[in-house]
Amino acid sequence: MQTITTIGLDIAKSVFQVHGVDAAGRVVIRRQLKRRHVLAFFQRLRPCLIGIEACASSHHWSRELQAVGHTVRLMPPVYVKPYVKRQKNDATDAEAICEAVARANMRFVPTKTPEQQSGLVLHRTRHLFVRQQTSLMNVIRAHLAEFGIVAPVGRHGVEELLGIVADPSDKRVPEVARACLAALGAQLRVLKAQILEFDRMITAWHRSSETSRRLDDCPGVGPALATALVATVADPKAFRSGRNFSAWIGLVPKQHSSGGKDRLGSISKQGDRYLRSLFVAGALAVIRYAKIHGTKHRPWLTALLARRPTKVAAIALANKIARMAWAMMAKGERYKQPVALAA
């Protein structure tokens, strides 16, 4: 057991698979571990390199194993898959992880702190509730449309519909349907109140984070995006450049180049969809403000809007904002106004 230098650990809910090799690459151990025996097993080992796929509960196990003296590296599952030999099972996965973690050019995922994971839980829960709110609004509109009752688009239109449901003298809605729609309306109000509470929590966290407050100075970045960046990006210096950070979010064109010919397509849409949507929303807000107040102070944006549709320009601007945000996080600097804006 003392000769083990590298371990591939395939984590799961209950049964974990261990694949360990020595310095020469010879297999020393292959075994399954019940969840309750994992920490005790690794406490008996001398410090070694442990590879884990970056998936559910991987950050928790990374922190636990580092606490007992091991070096832990998390890897995106898509980078481990090429090392899987033929059939897919836990033992083969653990062997692939063990081989992948030893590669010199492998890309690793920094381990998140419990505070960062808590921030992500807050954002994801709010995002789930927003989706449920939209779903409830659509359901209420659809059900009332069956009785010929429609309202203008937007939240105010839904409030008008709920007012009709709450009016017992309006005979267009049968009593059974009225009871169901009233229940949906009550659920909608609960969701709205909870979303407002989550917004207050995000604002409070934003004010308590120095990095988040610095990011808020960047155009197109508000408390929601700033806190999401702080929670998602454990180590900004893990990216070599702003371009790599933007590519990680999925805001750069897909490449299909060969033979010295560069072929660029639409954006890759890889990485975190939620983070990418916040960047695009921020870019659209900057464009909307520029159209209202004039774009003479942003010559780059002015020229882009003159030759490209608004949504295409928004993607390009989101890419630019992402690069600026990375530079501010990696270098610890504040946002610097361009000369044209400062004049």
Side-chain angles (χ1 to χ4, degrees), residues 176-228:
V176 174
R178 189 186 303 277
C180 296
L181 289 165
L184 291 173
Q187 185 66 35
L188 180 61
R189 293 188 182 93
V190 171
L191 281 176
K192 286 184 176 180
Q194 189 64 67
I195 291 170
L196 287 175
E197 179 60 28
F198 287 148
D199 288 338
R200 285 191 284 268
M201 293 172 66
I202 289 174
T203 301
W205 185 33
H206 166 68
R207 291 172 178 170
S208 67
S209 171
E210 187 271 336
T211 303
S212 182
R213 293 198 306 272
R214 280 193 295 106
L215 288 171
D216 194 21
D217 295 335
C218 184
V221 178
L225 177 53
T227 52

Side-chain angles (χ1 to χ4, degrees), residues 242-255 264-270 276 315 319 323:
R243 198 271 177 193
N244 282 10
F245 177 68
S246 185
W248 175 70
I249 297 173
L251 288 170
V252 301
K254 288 186 292 187
Q255 287 197 39
L264 302 180
S266 58
I267 60 172
S268 65
K269 294 186 179 179
Q270 296 180 349
R276 185 170 59 254
I315 296 297
N319 189 346
R323 298 183 187 213

Side-chain angles (χ1 to χ4, degrees), residues 47-295:
C48 60
L49 173 64
I50 301 174
I52 304 175
E53 286 184 325
C55 55
S57 75
S58 60
H59 292 275
H60 163 73
W61 286 110
S62 176
R63 293 192 297 266
E64 292 292 323
L65 295 175
Q66 288 182 45
V68 297
H70 297 287
T71 301
V72 183
R73 296 286 182 265
L74 304 181
M75 299 168 289
V78 68
Y79 294 155
V80 176
K81 188 174 181 180
Y83 297 93
V84 176
K85 298 174 181 175
R86 297 217 176 199
Q87 305 299 329
K88 200 275 185 201
N89 54 59
D90 291 347
T92 305
D93 288 346
E95 182 181 357
I97 294 169
C98 185
E99 186 172 349
V101 74
R103 299 304 96 195
N105 60 347
M106 179 55 63
R107 297 178 182 177
F108 300 109
V109 178
T111 302
K112 290 183 174 62
T113 63
E115 291 74 20
Q116 287 177 314
Q117 288 189 288
S118 297
L120 286 177
V121 170
L122 172 59
H123 274 276
R124 288 168 180 167
T125 305
R126 181 189 179 279
H127 187 50
L128 172 63
F129 278 28
V130 169
R131 295 201 310 271
Q132 291 178 345
Q133 175 184 252
T134 303
S135 177
L136 278 174
M137 287 180 174
N138 291 337
V139 166
I140 292 170
R141 286 181 177 277
H143 288 333
L144 284 172
E146 293 295 330
F147 301 104
I149 305 173
V150 296
V153 176
R155 289 174 294 179
H156 297 297
V158 175
E159 292 298 330
E160 289 182 20
L161 295 176
L162 292 177
I164 294 173
V165 171
D167 183 8
S169 63
D170 194 323
K171 301 303 180 183
R172 291 177 295 175
V173 184
E175 289 305 315
V176 174
R178 189 186 303 277
C180 296
L181 289 165
L184 291 173
Q187 185 66 35
L188 180 61
R189 293 188 182 93
V190 171
L191 281 176
K192 286 184 176 180
Q194 189 64 67
I195 291 170
L196 287 175
E197 179 60 28
F198 287 148
D199 288 338
R200 285 191 284 268
M201 293 172 66
I202 289 174
T203 301
W205 185 33
H206 166 68
R207 291 172 178 170
S208 67
S209 171
E210 187 271 336
T211 303
S212 182
R213 293 198 306 272
R214 280 193 295 106
L215 288 171
D216 194 21
D217 295 335
C218 184
V221 178
L225 177 53
T227 52
L229 282 171
V230 172
T232 306
V233 184
D235 181 15
K237 294 183 179 179
F239 303 95
R240 290 180 296 177
S241 65
R243 198 271 177 193
N244 282 10
F245 177 68
S246 185
W248 175 70
I249 297 173
L251 288 170
V252 301
K254 288 186 292 187
Q255 287 197 39
H256 190 72
S257 304
S258 180
K261 295 181 180 179
D262 293 334
R263 298 182 179 89
L264 302 180
S266 58
I267 60 172
S268 65
K269 294 186 179 179
Q270 296 180 349
D272 193 323
R273 179 184 296 180
Y274 177 68
L275 205 57
R276 185 170 59 254
S277 67
L278 290 178
F279 271 112
V280 174
L284 286 170
V286 173
I287 291 174
R288 185 166 56 251
Y289 182 88
K291 286 183 175 180
I292 295 173
H293 298 279
T295 57

